[in-house]
Amino acid sequence: VQLQASGGGLVQPGGSLRLSCAASGFTLRDYAIGWFRQAPGKEREGVSCTSRSDRRIYYADSVKGRFTISRDNAKNTVYLQMISLKPEDTAVYYCAADFASYNYCSRYGSEYDYWGRGTQVTVSS
């Protein structure tokens, strides 16, 4: 069972990135998926999540209107599309999987069962 986040990089303020969360050994469709980030010296923050049904979707206030979470079941991948990036979005981003109730996803990392290695996002001019 493995998760891998990818797609990070260096981008200028106002730019865009799309992060991918790919799974091996299990089907992401069977799990709620969360995206989290941690900046140096700060606590981990729940950025977004989607339930197994995709009916419950959460965005942190700091990213609402700029980030979009989505699934591609054929590719067993979950994406986080990020636009209008700001320097304060700079962090290591992680994806995680939670075998949660069908219409539930949590913004709290403690509720997640599997974690992938993070991908660095740096927003700077």
Side-chain angles (χ1 to χ4, degrees):
V1 174
Q2 192 172 15
L3 282 174
Q4 179 65 56
S6 62
L10 173 63
V11 63
Q12 292 186 342
S16 301
L17 283 173
R18 188 178 75 163
L19 305 184
S20 299
C21 177
S24 59
F26 66 106
T27 302
L28 287 183
R29 180 79 247 182
D30 295 335
Y31 291 80
I33 303 298
W35 282 98
F36 298 82
R37 66 185 181 187
Q38 188 163 21
K42 294 188 176 181
E43 292 187 356
R44 183 176 60 197
E45 175 188 17
V47 174
S48 179
C49 70
T50 182
S51 64
R52 291 163 61 197
S53 66
D54 292 329
R55 291 176 183 173
R56 150 75 171 164
I57 292 180
Y58 163 82
Y59 296 104
D61 287 343
S62 57
V63 307
K64 276 182 184 175
R66 300 189 298 121
F67 289 13
T68 304
I69 191 170
S70 63
R71 295 180 186 264
D72 185 335
N73 293 328
K75 295 183 178 179
N76 203 27
T77 300
V78 174
Y79 301 102
L80 186 68
Q81 179 70 50
M82 307 185 296
I83 66 171
S84 302
L85 283 162
K86 304 175 181 180
E88 51 263 44
D89 294 318
T90 296
V92 178
Y93 284 70
Y94 302 87
C95 62
D98 176 23
F99 193 65
S101 299
Y102 192 59
N103 292 316
Y104 176 78
C105 71
S106 174
R107 63 188 178 101
Y108 300 108
S110 59
E111 297 190 31
Y112 285 76
D113 303 303
Y114 303 107
W115 288 82
R117 288 186 177 181
T119 185
Q120 175 71 46
V121 172
T122 303
V123 184
S124 175
S125 55

